[in-house]
């Protein structure tokens, strides 16, 4: 049942896309990318000889005409959700020194010798994304493709070298859970500390303190310094704090494997609940299966460029093909 | 600017959490706890008095109180700047993950040291009573050097925390620099008693010495009249170094993430 529902949602999305293309709401680049992605997907299906999928592809050009009226009606009822994340021509350049100079002595020696050589390296280039409220976007790519850099830009911790990122709504990053903890602080103190780091007020955390402790299942361990925690306990506490409020944008960097099986179930339940409520999700993964299970849209990054974007199924198929 | 104020509002709780964390963790595993804040300057004062009171000629001022004034101000300055220097790198893992206004780290480090400095002033009060130093209304003048030293320490802390991200050895250089500053602060001797009067310009270049002079004036019940140079010099120096610190930090803060 749930799967069927998902599919319909995806279809609505993809069709609204074509409408918006007609209305030239989208930038040229993105639509080009979509077209390119579709072409590539088509090619891939031809190679694979998957008859069922090929059918849907050939049907597509006909479909929009039939459905256009329907969609317009739909659109009257329901406006397109607002864009929450927009990146325009985003680029990040890293200067890589051939030898890392991180002390004054080296720096001056090299300055005198005129040996301060840099190598430029673009971790991201010309990334144009428009993510609407409620989209669950999977970001696929090999190691070093620029996935984490993209997330860092969106989270606001890394300033892009060129281009702009506009984000509306509060972001909760779930990256390396528990990395912000102070190891000498007890779990309870860390709840306040980490919570304030995410921008929550003290009284706000106080209200939800019990919820956090209950969800993390730490019990009496909450009054033990975090340095004595196991990594699973740390991750559980981190997850509980970060998800105690429903954020508008959630960034997941391969953290769905938190804690033991029991907690994993609980945490994915909580995430699913959030997704149903229309939280925008950015989900980074190597595995297309996970993206398929959690996302309705996806992009593939390769060497810092978006090489494909669109519906999750198509992109995942393409990604699988890329890996071959 | 608008964003700056918005962020300040949103993250003011974080600021106090950081301050609290510094103070709490400093003495967590010690039995005496915060009392070390009081005990440490008291012990150094006793040692310095024992060693130097006979070596160097005594002046009009009570020697233990004289030492303690210099020692407390210098202690705050050196601890505050050293902690601020390390603060950005210490929180490096967070800088790469969650957006937080980065100036919070050095400034909260300075503030937490300032609070401990204020607590340690109790020792000064105790010693003043014990040594029967006469209290006058001039004691309220002490607020002026105390405010100036806070501005100065923040400014120097901001500069140091910025550059220590790029140059790791700054930490060791600063320790040496602090030593130089300490010996030119006249903590345990009197400038008037120096053998070579030609070297007095050294003390005119040290803003921390100026602040100590002002503080001692207040404690021993003298007005600032004779030390107007020290007042203006330290005030101007502090404001300039603070603005420099803000500027440097603001210019470089986006690069921190690439180096921490």
């Amino acid at each position: 049942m749930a799967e069927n529902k998902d599919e319909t949602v995806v279809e609505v999305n993809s069709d609204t896309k074509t409408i918006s293309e007609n209305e030239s709401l989208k930038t040229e680049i993105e639509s080009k990318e979509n077209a390119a992605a579709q072409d590539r997907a088509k090619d891939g299906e031809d190679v694979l000889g998957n008859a069922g999928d090929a059918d849907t592809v050939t049907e597509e050009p006909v479909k929009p005409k039939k459905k256009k009226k329907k969609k317009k009606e739909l659109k009257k009822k329901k406006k397109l959700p607002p864009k929450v994340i927009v990146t325009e021509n985003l680029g990040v350049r890293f200067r890589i020194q051939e030898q890392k100079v991180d002390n004054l002595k080296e720096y001056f020696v090299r300055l005198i010798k005129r040996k301060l050589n840099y190598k430029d390296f673009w971790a991201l280039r010309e990334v144009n994304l428009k993510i609407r409220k409620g989209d669950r976007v999977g970001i696929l790519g090999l190691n070093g493709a620029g996935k984490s850099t993209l997330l860092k830009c969106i989270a606001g911790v890394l300033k892009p070298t060129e281009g702009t990122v506009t984000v509306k709504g509060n972001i909760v990053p779930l990256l390396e859970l528990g990395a912000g903890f102070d190891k000498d602080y007890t779990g309870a103190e860390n709840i306040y500390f980490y919570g304030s780091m995410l921008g929550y007020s003290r009284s706000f955390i106080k209200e939800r303190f019990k919820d956090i402790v209950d969800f993390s299942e730490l019990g009496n361990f909450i009054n033990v310094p975090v340095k004595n925690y196991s990594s699973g306990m740390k991750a559980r506490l981190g997850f509980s704090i970060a998800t105690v409020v429903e954020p508008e944008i959630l960034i997941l960097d391969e953290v769905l494997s938190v804690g033991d099986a029991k907690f994993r179930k609980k945490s994915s339940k909580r995430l699913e609940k959030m997704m149903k409520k229309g939280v925008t999700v950015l989900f980074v993964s190597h595995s297309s299966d996970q993206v398929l299970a959690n996302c309705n849209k996806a992009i593939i990054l390769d060497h810092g460029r978006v090489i494909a974007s669109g519906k999750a199924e198509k992109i995942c198929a393409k990604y699988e093909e890329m890996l071959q | 600017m608008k964003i700056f104020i918005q962020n300040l509002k949103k993250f003011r709780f974080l600021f106090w959490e950081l301050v609290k964390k510094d103070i709490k963790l400093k003495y967590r595993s010690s039995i005496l706890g915060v009392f070390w804040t009081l005990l440490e300057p008291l012990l150094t004062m006793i040692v310095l008095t024992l060693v130097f009171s006979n070596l160097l000629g005594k002046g009009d001022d009570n020697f233990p109180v004289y030492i303690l004034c210099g020692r407390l101000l210098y202690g705050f300055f050196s601890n505050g700047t050293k902690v601020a220097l390390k603060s950005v790198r210490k929180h490096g893992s967070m800088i790469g993950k969650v957006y937080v206004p980065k100036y919070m780290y050095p400034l909260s480090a300075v503030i937490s040291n300032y609070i401990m400095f204020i607590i340690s002033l109790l020792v000064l009060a105790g010693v003043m009573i014990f040594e029967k130093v006469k209290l006058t209304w001039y004691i309220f003048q002490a607020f002026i050097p105390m405010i100036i030293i806070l501005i100065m320490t923040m400014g120097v802390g901001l500069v140091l925390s910025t550059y220590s991200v790029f140059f790791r050895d700054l930490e060791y250089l600063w320790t040496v620099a602090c030593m130089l500053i300490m010996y030119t602060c006249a903590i345990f001797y009197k400038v008037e008693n120096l053998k070579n009067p030609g070297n007095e310009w050294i003390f005119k270049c040290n803003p921390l010495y100026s602040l100590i002079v002002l503080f001692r004036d207040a404690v021993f019940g003298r007005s600032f009249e004779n030390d107007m140079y020290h007042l203006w010099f330290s005030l101007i120096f502090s404001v300039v170094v603070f603005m420099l610190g803000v500027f440097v930090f603001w210019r470089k803060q986006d690069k921190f993430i690439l180096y921490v």
Side-chain angles (χ1 to χ4, degrees):
Chain A
M1 271 301 286
E3 269 181 18
N4 280 336
K5 222 179 187 179
D6 263 3
E7 264 172 33
T8 51
V9 170
V10 169
E11 252 181 279
V12 169
N13 273 335
S14 68
D15 279 354
T16 45
K17 223 182 212 172
T18 54
I19 288 167
S20 59
E21 267 166 26
N22 289 343
E23 290 170 0
S24 71
L25 268 169
K26 294 243 161 185
T27 58
E28 269 189 341
I29 299 157
E30 211 191 9
S31 59
K32 261 186 203 165
E33 260 168 11
N34 274 335
Q38 275 176 11
D39 283 347
R40 283 184 205 125
K42 219 179 188 175
D43 289 345
E45 277 146 10
D46 284 345
V47 173
L48 286 169
N50 194 328
D53 275 356
D55 271 354
T56 56
V57 172
T58 46
E59 254 179 66
E60 239 181 10
V62 196
K63 254 185 183 172
K65 273 184 190 170
K66 280 185 196 167
K67 278 199 172 177
K68 224 173 188 176
K69 274 184 188 171
K70 256 191 200 171
K71 290 305 144 194
K72 268 189 179 163
E73 279 168 17
L74 243 179
K75 215 195 153 195
K76 266 178 204 165
K77 277 181 207 161
K78 208 174 163 186
K79 260 181 148 180
L80 265 178
K83 291 172 208 153
V84 280
I85 302 171
V86 179
T87 73
E88 266 167 45
N89 195 28
L90 181 69
V92 174
R93 185 186 59 201
F94 288 130
R95 290 227 136 124
I96 298 186
Q97 289 154 4
E98 272 144 21
Q99 262 181 312
K100 204 171 180 192
V101 180
D102 64 354
N103 58 67
L104 273 170
K105 189 193 81 192
E106 285 274 305
Y107 184 77
F108 281 118
V109 168
R110 276 161 195 278
L111 200 69
I112 291 161
K113 283 187 181 169
R114 300 202 167 265
K115 261 196 174 170
L116 275 171
N117 294 331
Y118 298 108
K119 237 188 223 167
D120 280 354
F121 164 74
W122 286 89
L124 283 180
R125 202 84 205 260
E126 290 163 16
V127 176
N128 291 286
L129 293 176
K130 286 192 176 63
I131 296 172
R132 288 177 189 278
K133 197 172 180 302
D135 275 351
R136 304 186 304 278
V137 183
I139 301 170
L140 287 160
L142 304 172
N143 280 331
K147 301 187 297 285
S148 299
T149 312
L150 178 62
L151 288 192
K152 277 180 182 166
C153 283
I154 292 172
V157 291
L158 184 64
K159 209 175 182 187
T161 318
E162 58 175 36
T164 54
V165 185
T166 338
V167 178
K168 283 169 202 149
N170 73 319
I171 298 184
V172 166
L174 289 181
L175 320 158
E176 282 178 58
L177 289 168
F181 290 155
D182 193 293
K183 61 178 173 32
D184 291 320
Y185 251 21
T186 66
E189 285 166 318
N190 263 311
I191 290 178
Y192 286 105
F193 180 60
Y194 195 66
S196 65
M197 207 151 231
L198 294 173
Y200 306 147
S201 75
R202 197 179 164 78
S203 53
F204 180 88
I205 304 165
K206 215 172 194 168
E207 270 172 38
R208 287 164 177 76
F209 185 82
K210 213 177 156 293
D211 287 346
I212 297 171
V213 179
D214 287 348
F215 193 83
S216 66
E217 296 174 7
L218 281 170
N220 289 329
F221 274 101
I222 204 72
N223 291 317
V224 170
V226 164
K227 62 183 166 195
N228 299 334
Y229 279 23
S230 71
S231 56
M233 286 159 90
K234 252 189 263 177
R236 257 150 56 190
L237 187 60
F239 182 89
S240 308
I241 299 169
T243 56
V244 71
V245 267
E246 267 144 32
E248 286 156 69
I249 301 161
L250 193 64
I251 295 181
L252 301 171
D253 194 350
E254 300 177 86
V255 285
L256 290 185
S257 48
V258 169
D260 50 27
K262 197 178 142 212
F263 191 79
R264 202 148 51 203
K265 229 179 224 171
K266 213 166 130 186
S267 60
S268 55
K269 218 179 192 175
R270 187 175 253 199
L271 288 179
E272 267 167 35
K273 212 174 114 194
M274 279 184 190
M275 287 177 191
K276 266 184 198 145
K277 280 193 180 164
V279 173
T280 312
V281 180
L282 292 177
F283 179 67
V284 163
S285 184
H286 298 291
S287 125
S288 54
D289 291 340
Q290 272 187 328
V291 170
L292 263 182
N294 292 298
C295 305
N296 62 347
K297 287 182 184 171
I299 61 171
I300 301 179
L301 278 175
D302 188 37
H303 291 101
R305 286 170 195 267
V306 178
I307 55 168
S309 65
K311 277 203 284 183
E313 290 95 72
K314 267 185 192 165
I315 298 301
C316 286
K318 179 163 162 44
Y319 183 67
E320 283 299 313
E321 185 196 321
M322 246 175 75
L323 292 180
Q324 299 286 307
Chain B
M1 196 63 198
K2 214 176 152 191
I3 298 169
F4 172 78
I5 291 165
Q6 260 175 12
N7 273 334
L8 199 66
K9 234 176 165 183
K10 188 177 171 192
F11 287 103
R12 66 182 190 279
F13 298 102
L14 173 66
F15 190 81
W16 294 115
E17 282 294 326
L18 284 168
V19 170
K20 231 168 46 191
K21 193 180 77 157
D22 275 351
I23 297 174
K24 259 186 175 172
L25 289 183
K26 190 160 185 189
Y27 301 110
R28 170 144 289 183
S29 49
S30 65
I31 307 164
L32 291 175
V34 187
F35 281 104
W36 276 114
T37 326
L38 308 177
L39 213 54
E40 201 231 325
L42 192 67
L43 291 175
T44 22
M45 179 206 77
I46 291 169
V47 170
L48 289 173
T49 314
L50 286 176
V51 174
F52 290 108
S53 62
N54 295 322
L55 280 178
L56 302 162
K58 286 184 189 175
D60 309 328
D61 298 339
N62 180 289
F63 200 57
V65 176
Y66 180 89
I67 288 179
L68 202 53
C69 288
R71 160 70 219 173
L72 285 174
L73 287 187
Y74 168 76
F76 164 62
F77 177 76
S78 83
N79 287 339
T81 49
K82 276 176 193 165
V83 178
L85 184 148
K86 290 178 201 157
S87 63
V88 172
R89 269 191 11 231
K90 196 174 125 198
H91 295 97
S93 67
M94 273 332 266
I95 286 175
K97 279 172 202 91
V98 187
Y99 174 77
V100 165
K102 286 181 263 299
Y103 58 83
M104 296 245 160
Y105 299 123
L107 292 190
S108 69
V110 172
I111 293 286
S112 61
N113 267 285
Y114 195 65
I115 291 172
M116 286 190 265
F117 162 66
I118 301 230
I119 294 172
S120 66
L121 288 179
L122 283 175
V123 181
L124 182 68
V127 173
M128 277 173 78
I129 293 166
F130 184 76
E131 295 281 333
K132 298 190 184 72
V133 175
K134 244 206 282 169
L135 258 185
T136 56
W137 288 109
Y138 285 117
I139 193 79
F140 290 107
Q141 281 183 344
F143 286 115
I144 295 169
M146 275 167 67
I147 290 166
I148 298 176
I149 199 174
L150 179 63
I151 298 170
M152 186 166 90
T153 312
M154 279 182 169
V156 176
L158 281 172
V159 174
L160 288 173
S161 66
T162 307
Y163 284 105
S164 73
V165 173
F166 306 105
F167 305 111
R168 301 285 155 98
D169 49 358
L170 199 61
E171 196 181 325
Y172 311 112
L173 283 175
W174 184 245
T175 318
V176 179
C178 271
M179 204 150 71
L180 184 72
I181 293 168
M182 185 186 82
Y183 284 115
T184 55
C185 270
I187 292 175
F188 46 80
Y189 56 86
K190 292 187 179 171
V191 177
E192 305 90 76
N193 295 344
L194 282 183
K195 288 223 170 104
N196 193 345
N199 287 341
E200 261 179 36
W201 61 270
I202 295 172
F203 298 97
K204 289 202 163 175
C205 303
N206 185 347
L208 193 60
Y209 172 69
S210 295
L211 288 169
I212 292 174
V213 168
L214 295 176
F215 194 73
R216 279 174 184 154
D217 278 348
V219 167
F220 290 113
R222 292 187 291 256
S223 83
F224 287 164
E225 279 179 316
N226 296 325
D227 298 311
M228 283 318 268
Y229 165 79
H230 292 304
L231 179 62
W232 285 112
F233 174 60
S234 60
L235 183 65
I236 291 167
F237 180 86
S238 303
V239 172
V240 168
V241 88
F242 183 74
M243 292 196 306
L244 180 78
V246 170
F247 178 73
V248 166
F249 195 85
W250 172 71
R251 276 284 300 274
K252 298 272 183 189
Q253 62 174 348
D254 292 330
K255 283 189 180 168
F256 286 175
I257 186 176
L258 306 175
Y259 290 85
V260 287

